[in-house]
Amino acid sequence: MQRLSGLVKKEFIHFYRDPVSMLLILYHFTACIVLCTYCFRFEVDHLPITVYDSDQTTLSRELVTKFISTEFFDLYAYASSYNDAGLLIDKGAVKAALIIPSGFAEVLNAGEQANIQYLCDAGDANLAGQGTGYAKRIIADYNTNIIIKQLNKKGIVIKNLPGVDSRLRTFYSQEMDSVYFLVLLHIVVAGLIGGLVLSSTAIVREKERGTIDQLMVTPAKAFEFILAKALAPLVIGLIATVFSFLVAVWFSVPVKGSVITFFCYMGFFLIGNVGIGVLVGSLCQNMLQAILLSYAVWFPGVAITGLLLPLENMEPWTQSLGKLLPTTHFLIATNGIFQKAIGFAELWPEAIILLSTGGVLFMAGYFIMLREWS
Amino acid sequence: MNARRILIIMKWEFVHLIRDPVSLIISLFMPFFMLFLFGYSMCFELKEMPTAVFDMDHSSASRDYIERINSTQYFNIKFHFKSYEEAISSLDRGVTKLVIVIPSHFGRNLKENKPAIIQPLVDASFINSAQIIINYLHGINATYSSSIITNYINKKGASISLEPVKMSLRTWYNQSLRDYTFTITGMYSVVMMGFIPLLSALAIVREKESGSIQQIFVSPVKPPEYIAGKMLPYVIFLGIDNVLVVLFGVWWFEIPFRGSFMLLMWGVFMMVFATVALGFLISTFTRNQLTAMLIGIVFTLMPAFIFGDSISPLVNMPEGWQLYAGLFPARFFTGFCRAVMLRGAGLEGCWQDALSLTVYCIAIFAVASFSVKKNKIM
């Protein structure tokens, strides 16, 4: 026990002597989130568009105003011709163009159908989809008003058109949605780096420098050595998570469940990652390999674990692969705690999975290490 | 700069690379792996999504409406709930993401030509996919309503156009609105920015850690020659590798390639050059490999995600941040890539991005070379 605490203390001294790395990890847990919040927005607005209105009547101008007065569309410039509008899209200056042909008002007043065009640069399918969705809604509203007016003119008094009236209700979405997503992204990445990278590089560094040989000739056992390498990143990770949590609170991210449960699961997540890290560290001979292998593990940990996209929307084989990674289960737990206010009672399977992954991989790393430890 | 000394450094670096085949192979395969993973993880396609219905009306109209939704390729009605509590609990447990509640006067309202209310309950924990679900549902409702309105207008004998203003949609460069097109072209930048600076930074920092960089200092090699010599093997290896990555992306994800291959290759090499130089710049600040990796993640990978126009469009950002984004080459390469691949642009169409990229390369190379001070133990 005394040997173990000595080794753990040594680890902390190592980290203390490398303030730059510690600061970077802390930065990632905190300032980076703040940065992202101001820049990362999935809801689209201020889409630059151009308008070519060759009708120039009250009615056409009314329609154009409906478009550009929304927050969604930003008028970049009026186009002087159809080709001009196309050129602006080609150049990338605007993402869409609204084309109103001449005779628009005339046709409408005669009670017939008027045609307009909406051209869009669909390179960004998300932007294009949202843009066309908005445009369709604006036109649908415009049409509804015209139809009602025309019906009224014919003596059919009606205030609302028949049809389906959809009253949407969203769940678990808060205004802080993007913020929540970003906070989660950073906590996961930081947890991966803190757990996986710190533990694996700590082990490999000693191998590379040869200091591991010095440890082998001391009474310290391999198990104590590895445990110390695992404990220090765990503690550091948890402390840094406190800071992340404070940032989340500062942005008013609501937490419906228990904060303590969250920290427990963060601990389990770190344990899972540290297990992987120990295995990686015991396998690699130099830092470059360790870093590359860590990358190979933590990228999937971000990509296919349901962080960027829900698991159900991925191919089946990707889903199965994702379920092998600790991040997936941590996300299930965290989403549950933050948004659905569930706790250990419903989330105990996740806890078991995280802990056992960490445990099993830790032991695997230990046995590999044991062979080298004379 | 003496060419002979540069060549010697180059040869030395090649030998180093070949002596660690494991790392070399991992380095070469990582970009493919990353592209593959990110490609599949970032794209959302709505297909046969399990949906639930809570029908309080049980009229032929409500059943017809439900069938309409079920018959699309987007939604697959799997659950029929009998109570509001069941509906909410299914959302809670994540069993379904959409529950359509049909109140009891639905059929009657439709018959009486009044607006018939329905209430979709959407799980919006992932706002991206929720938005797409909402949009598709909206589209289905609009189509359904329009046939009702048509019948109504015809019955009243009024000859009014059902759709006074008809908007025809022209989508350019990505006719099928495939999410992959945007994502993958953005991911090239992320893959290059996230990975290459790490490799080049580690190349120098490793020498610092092991002390072998002292041997360089006592030789006649000047810092710019050292940087140039170290850079070229990486640019060659990684340049070829990343051209292959781009081609792999085009082939595997079926992305259109409408422009000139030579132009794209030139762009890839420029970007690789810029990122390798960026890695060297990072190495001048760090003394150990762990720090180099962390700086790499914080100052290259994350900015590539945020500012590289890859996940979140750059136009969304406040003006000031858009300028700051210019500090990272990711956005120039993404813009260049999309112009050449999707819009088939020649040099006139993408010269801004191409020029920015070139200027960036030269600037970073200059800064990196002159930051390496020989007699200082960094």
Side-chain angles (χ1 to χ4, degrees):
Chain A
M1 194 61 216
Q2 209 184 8
R3 286 198 295 263
L4 179 62
S5 61
L7 284 170
V8 173
K9 225 166 81 174
K10 173 178 99 71
E11 286 310 306
F12 277 112
I13 295 178
H14 275 312
F15 284 127
Y16 179 71
R17 282 194 188 153
D18 191 4
V20 182
S21 296
M22 293 297 106
L23 273 171
L24 281 169
I25 294 182
L26 193 64
Y27 166 82
H28 196 83
F29 268 99
T30 52
C32 211
I33 303 179
V34 178
L35 177 70
C36 287
T37 324
Y38 288 116
C39 300
F40 235 153
R41 295 175 59 226
F42 291 105
E43 300 87 31
V44 185
D45 48 31
H46 299 300
L47 197 70
I49 64 166
T50 180
V51 175
Y52 172 50
D53 180 2
S54 80
D55 194 40
Q56 297 288 333
T57 56
T58 323
L59 269 177
S60 71
R61 277 193 274 261
E62 207 181 281
L63 183 61
V64 172
T65 316
K66 271 206 188 278
F67 267 85
I68 62 184
S69 64
T70 64
E71 255 185 9
F72 191 78
F73 294 113
D74 255 4
L75 181 67
Y76 173 78
Y78 282 99
S80 53
S81 70
Y82 185 85
N83 288 335
D84 193 25
L87 226 75
L88 283 172
I89 297 186
D90 263 341
K91 272 201 312 189
V94 297
K95 296 279 184 199
L98 183 67
I99 314 280
I100 306 182
S102 61
F104 176 75
E106 236 184 277
V107 171
L108 270 185
N109 286 329
E112 283 167 24
Q113 189 179 67
N115 284 302
I116 65 169
Q117 263 192 16
Y118 179 82
L119 313 170
C120 70
D121 176 355
D124 178 355
N126 188 23
L127 264 183
Q130 295 206 31
T132 50
Y134 252 73
K136 282 192 195 154
R137 234 169 293 182
I138 296 178
I139 295 288
D141 280 341
Y142 192 74
N143 277 339
T144 311
N145 288 336
I146 294 186
I147 293 179
I148 292 179
K149 263 194 239 155
Q150 291 179 338
L151 283 174
N152 288 339
K153 262 198 285 195
K154 306 242 166 168
I156 303 165
V157 180
I158 180 176
K159 262 198 291 184
N160 288 308
L161 286 181
V164 171
D165 179 7
S166 169
R167 306 282 174 87
L168 192 70
R169 190 178 149 194
T170 51
F171 283 69
Y172 321 128
S173 137
Q174 27 222 34
E175 267 112 50
M176 295 288 109
D177 231 336
S178 314
V179 181
Y180 172 70
F181 165 75
L182 288 170
V183 169
L184 204 56
L185 179 66
H186 280 87
I187 290 184
V188 166
V189 175
L192 280 167
I193 298 177
L196 179 55
V197 175
L198 277 188
S199 52
S200 60
T201 51
I203 296 179
V204 175
R205 209 180 346 196
E206 300 236 13
K207 279 199 224 178
E208 217 180 30
R209 296 225 183 116
T211 51
I212 202 175
D213 299 319
Q214 295 172 339
L215 283 173
M216 285 187 202
V217 301
T218 65
K221 301 258 193 324
F223 189 76
E224 290 156 357
F225 168 72
I226 283 222
L227 192 59
K229 295 284 178 197
L231 283 176
L234 184 61
V235 172
I236 293 178
L238 279 174
I239 297 179
T241 311
V242 175
F243 288 101
S244 278
F245 196 74
L246 291 174
V247 172
V249 168
W250 188 48
F251 277 112
S252 322
V253 175
V255 184
K256 295 213 182 105
S258 145
V259 175
I260 300 190
T261 319
F262 168 66
F263 274 98
C264 284
Y265 274 92
M266 184 68 187
F268 299 152
F269 178 54
L270 283 169
I271 289 178
N273 284 332
V274 162
I276 303 180
V278 163
L279 183 59
V280 169
S282 61
L283 286 173
C284 297
Q285 300 310 316
N286 65 52
M287 285 286 265
L288 182 61
Q289 286 176 357
I291 291 181
L292 288 177
L293 203 53
S294 306
Y295 251 69
V297 175
W298 78 255
F299 261 121
V302 172
I304 60 175
T305 52
L307 178 61
L308 300 170
L309 205 66
L311 224 52
E312 307 83 52
N313 297 117
M314 295 195 249
E315 316 282 319
W317 61 266
T318 326
Q319 286 189 36
S320 323
L321 213 64
K323 294 220 175 94
L324 289 175
L325 296 165
T327 317
T328 318
H329 305 282
F330 174 65
L331 280 175
I332 296 176
T334 311
N335 276 329
I337 297 174
F338 270 76
Q339 294 175 325
K340 300 177 190 175
I342 49 185
F344 279 113
E346 292 93 344
L347 293 171
W348 61 265
E350 273 70 39
I352 304 264
I353 297 177
L354 287 172
L355 285 172
S356 48
T357 314
V360 168
L361 293 176
F362 178 85
M363 291 313 284
Y366 165 60
F367 282 119
I368 297 180
M369 202 80 246
L370 198 58
R371 282 192 308 168
E372 296 179 18
W373 198 275
S374 43
Chain B
M1 297 221 282
N2 183 320
R4 203 181 121 251
R5 289 200 282 260
I6 296 180
L7 275 169
I8 292 178
I9 302 273
M10 261 182 76
K11 221 171 82 171
W12 184 2
E13 197 56 34
F14 265 118
V15 170
H16 271 226
L17 283 173
I18 296 184
R19 275 194 192 157
D20 190 0
V22 176
S23 303
L24 186 63
I25 294 183
I26 301 183
S27 315
L28 291 179
F29 273 107
M30 273 298 270
F32 292 96
F33 185 56
M34 282 166 70
L35 189 69
F36 194 68
L37 276 182
F38 278 123
Y40 275 118
S41 67
M42 309 268 296
C43 302
F44 177 73
E45 264 183 298
L46 188 60
K47 234 186 339 184
E48 299 299 340
M49 188 186 84
T51 313
V53 167
F54 173 33
D55 185 359
M56 294 194 266
D57 193 34
H58 300 293
S59 64
S60 60
S62 70
R63 279 193 290 271
D64 182 44
Y65 178 69
I66 295 173
E67 194 41 46
R68 283 290 187 108
I69 297 190
N70 197 21
S71 63
T72 66
Q73 51 172 293
Y74 307 118
F75 301 107
N76 181 17
I77 309 270
K78 251 174 107 175
F79 309 103
H80 291 266
F81 292 138
K82 307 262 182 350
S83 70
Y84 216 71
E85 287 77 33
E86 253 186 283
I88 306 238
S89 115
S90 78
L91 286 173
D92 261 345
R93 286 179 298 127
V95 168
T96 175
K97 288 201 154 26
L98 174 64
V99 182
I100 302 180
V101 179
I102 305 181
S104 49
H105 295 313
F106 181 75
R108 200 180 73 185
N109 282 335
L110 280 182
K111 264 215 205 88
E112 294 175 4
N113 292 317
K114 287 201 269 219
I117 298 179
I118 60 155
Q119 189 186 47
L121 308 177
V122 178
D123 177 350
S125 11
F126 281 95
I127 195 75
N128 274 1
S129 32
Q131 195 65 50
I132 296 179
I133 294 174
I134 295 175
N135 279 347
Y136 275 105
L137 199 57
H138 198 89
I140 296 174
N141 284 335
T143 316
Y144 191 75
S145 300
S146 72
S147 54
I148 296 177
I149 299 178
T150 315
N151 287 339
Y152 177 75
I153 294 179
N154 286 338
K155 262 202 291 202
K156 294 285 178 175
S159 58
I160 298 181
S161 171
L162 166 72
E163 209 182 340
V165 179
K166 183 174 156 82
M167 180 177 73
S168 57
L169 217 56
R170 296 280 153 77
T171 50
W172 286 2
Y173 313 129
N174 183 10
Q175 263 68 21
S176 48
L177 279 190
R178 289 187 67 232
D179 213 2
Y180 284 116
T181 313
F182 177 71
T183 312
I184 301 292
T185 46
M187 278 303 129
Y188 291 139
S189 292
V190 172
V191 165
M192 284 190 225
M193 274 283 273
F195 198 60
I196 299 179
L198 177 74
L199 290 175
S200 52
L202 284 179
I204 294 192
V205 176
R206 234 180 332 165
E207 292 208 346
K208 276 199 219 178
E209 263 196 7
S210 65
S212 60
I213 205 170
Q214 303 290 335
Q215 298 169 342
I216 305 286
F217 290 165
V218 300
S219 73
V221 173
K222 296 207 187 24
E225 294 164 354
Y226 175 63
I227 296 276
K230 261 198 137 35
M231 179 174 275
L232 286 170
Y234 284 100
V235 171
I236 295 175
F237 266 122
L238 294 170
I240 299 177
D241 194 39
N242 279 288
V243 169
L244 290 174
V245 171
V246 171
L247 292 177
F248 170 72
V250 170
W251 172 67
W252 185 267
F253 292 106
E254 291 164 20
I255 309 221
F257 196 120
R258 303 194 176 107
S260 143
F261 179 67
M262 292 308 285
L263 192 57
L264 185 70
M265 238 181 46
W266 176 83
V268 171
F269 270 93
M270 277 284 111
M271 179 66 174
V272 170
F273 191 88
T275 44
V276 170
L278 200 56
F280 287 161
L281 185 61
I282 291 175
S283 71
T284 58
F285 301 126
T286 57
R287 244 178 298 176
N288 76 53
Q289 300 186 55
L290 178 63
T291 318
M293 180 194 177
L294 290 172
I295 293 188
I297 295 178
V298 167
F299 289 111
T300 58
L301 183 58
M302 295 305 287
F305 258 115
I306 307 171
F307 298 114
D309 218 354
S310 51
I311 315 181
S312 154
L314 213 56
V315 293
N316 268 359
M317 286 189 212
E319 275 295 316
W321 289 115
Q322 292 197 35
L323 286 173
Y324 177 72
L327 281 181
F328 306 101
R331 94 173 244 217
F332 304 128
F333 184 70
T334 313
F336 175 86
C337 207
R338 292 199 179 126
V340 171
M341 284 173 60
L342 300 182
R343 303 203 287 263
L347 207 54
E348 347 67 59
C350 62
W351 65 268
Q352 280 148 323
D353 285 322
L355 185 63
S356 312
L357 205 52
T358 319
V359 168
Y360 192 89
C361 284
I362 300 176
I364 292 284
F365 179 77
V367 174
S369 320
F370 295 115
S371 302
V372 178
K373 291 192 188 71
K374 251 177 105 163
N375 295 321
K376 191 170 149 198
I377 301 176
M378 286 156 271

